[in-house]
Amino acid sequence: MDKTLSRDGTLIAYRCRGEGPPVILVGGALGTAATEAPLARLLAPRFQVVTYDRRGRGDSGDSAPYAVGREIEDLTAVAETVGGRPSVFGVGTGGALALEAQAAGLPVDLLAVHEPPYTPGAAGLRFRAGCTARLHRLLSAGDRDGAVELFLSVTGVPADLIARMRSAPLWRSLVSVAHTLAYDDALLGDGSVPAERFGSVRARTLVLSGGFGPASARAATRLLADALPRGRHRTLTGQTQELAPQVVAPVLEEFFTRNVHVGQAS
């Protein structure tokens, strides 16, 4: 992987595949550039696809204290290295990061996000506050396994599956980036959709949700799309939080290809 320097001096590792209009993939919680590799390979015949390790993960560095602004600077550094006005696709909290970056001025004309995990509504905000408090207690106590287990359970992974995962080789890689769950938590604030701040997002934005996922997630993504000046919502039939690359790839290809000239002209 190549590396670029973020504004605070942190090295951010990235990888480019293919040729064509640039597209940056922004991974979600516990993900790395490798997590996005299957989708990147599917998009590479039409685009120059960039995957990167968010700070604190994989081959990227880290700097304390964490701040959302620093993650925005990381994504900006990757975009500047690519050049031009890349399109961006963010998954989960990666989608929240992409939206925050565009609201802060990242030069992007076309943006797609999949289920940024906002939890609007009084019950959702209370639930999120409880999860945030528990996550920070676990991380403060050094219980990285517990933090990963909390995240997986909150995202709907059954307890018996989590138990099997703990004995699988994958578990070690998840635990190695458990501290970054606090970064993703910070990206979501109190869990409400930051409608006022996102009113400055000028990119044409496709907000995706899985048709087989929780109704609350679909409702949150519709609320998010409504808060974006140029937002559009689309439900992917049969999909959940875990998107199948072969399903989302043609959706992104159509959106980024059909709208590229319209987005740059407006």
Side-chain angles (χ1 to χ4, degrees):
M1 296 179 73
D2 294 316
K3 293 188 177 181
T4 187
L5 200 64
S6 192
R7 185 175 180 179
D8 70 350
T10 302
L11 285 170
I12 303 299
Y14 70 95
R15 180 176 179 178
C16 296
R17 293 177 175 84
E19 296 182 359
V23 173
I24 300 175
L25 305 184
V26 187
L30 299 180
T32 64
T35 310
E36 304 306 314
L39 176 59
R41 285 191 287 268
L42 291 175
L43 294 173
R46 294 292 302 273
F47 304 97
Q48 180 192 25
V49 187
V50 182
T51 54
Y52 76 102
D53 288 331
R54 289 170 53 193
R55 65 172 49 219
R57 314 176 192 208
D59 292 325
S60 288
D62 203 356
S63 300
Y66 175 80
V68 172
R70 286 185 167 184
E71 279 231 72
I72 291 173
E73 290 169 357
D74 299 345
L75 178 51
T76 300
V78 173
E80 289 175 348
T81 299
V82 174
R85 299 178 69 88
S87 301
V88 176
F89 175 54
V91 177
T93 48
L97 172 56
L99 287 163
E100 292 286 357
Q102 222 287 293
L106 181 71
V108 170
D109 297 311
L110 298 172
L111 173 60
V113 298
H114 176 251
E115 292 193 7
Y118 295 108
T119 53
L125 298 189
R126 286 194 300 271
F127 175 75
R128 169 153 173 71
C131 291
T132 295
R134 187 178 173 194
L135 172 65
H136 284 277
R137 285 197 300 270
L138 290 167
L139 291 176
S140 295
D143 188 356
R144 300 169 70 90
D145 293 273
V148 172
E149 185 169 342
L150 172 64
F151 168 74
L152 294 175
S153 63
V154 167
T155 54
V157 180
D160 59 337
L161 179 55
I162 294 175
R164 292 197 298 272
M165 289 176 67
R166 288 181 72 110
S167 60
L170 170 66
W171 190 259
R172 183 177 298 179
S173 65
L174 297 179
V175 169
S176 71
V177 293
H179 61 288
T180 64
L181 288 171
Y183 303 175
D184 293 284
D185 184 75
L187 271 166
L188 297 174
D190 65 0
S192 61
V193 174
E196 183 176 352
R197 186 160 66 250
F198 285 175
S200 61
V201 173
R202 299 304 173 190
R204 288 178 176 267
T205 307
L206 179 63
V207 182
L208 299 172
S209 64
F212 201 63
S216 58
R218 293 195 297 276
T221 53
R222 290 191 182 96
L223 186 64
L224 172 60
D226 290 342
L228 299 169
R230 306 174 76 192
R232 178 167 66 90
H233 181 266
R234 177 170 175 177
T235 299
L236 299 181
T237 304
Q239 296 299 293
T240 63
Q241 274 187 329
E242 297 296 325
L243 273 179
Q246 65 271 21
V247 172
V248 73
V251 173
L252 295 176
E253 182 176 327
E254 177 187 19
F255 177 68
F256 290 147
T257 302
R258 178 176 295 180
N259 293 283
V260 63
H261 300 299
V262 177
Q264 292 174 349
S266 50

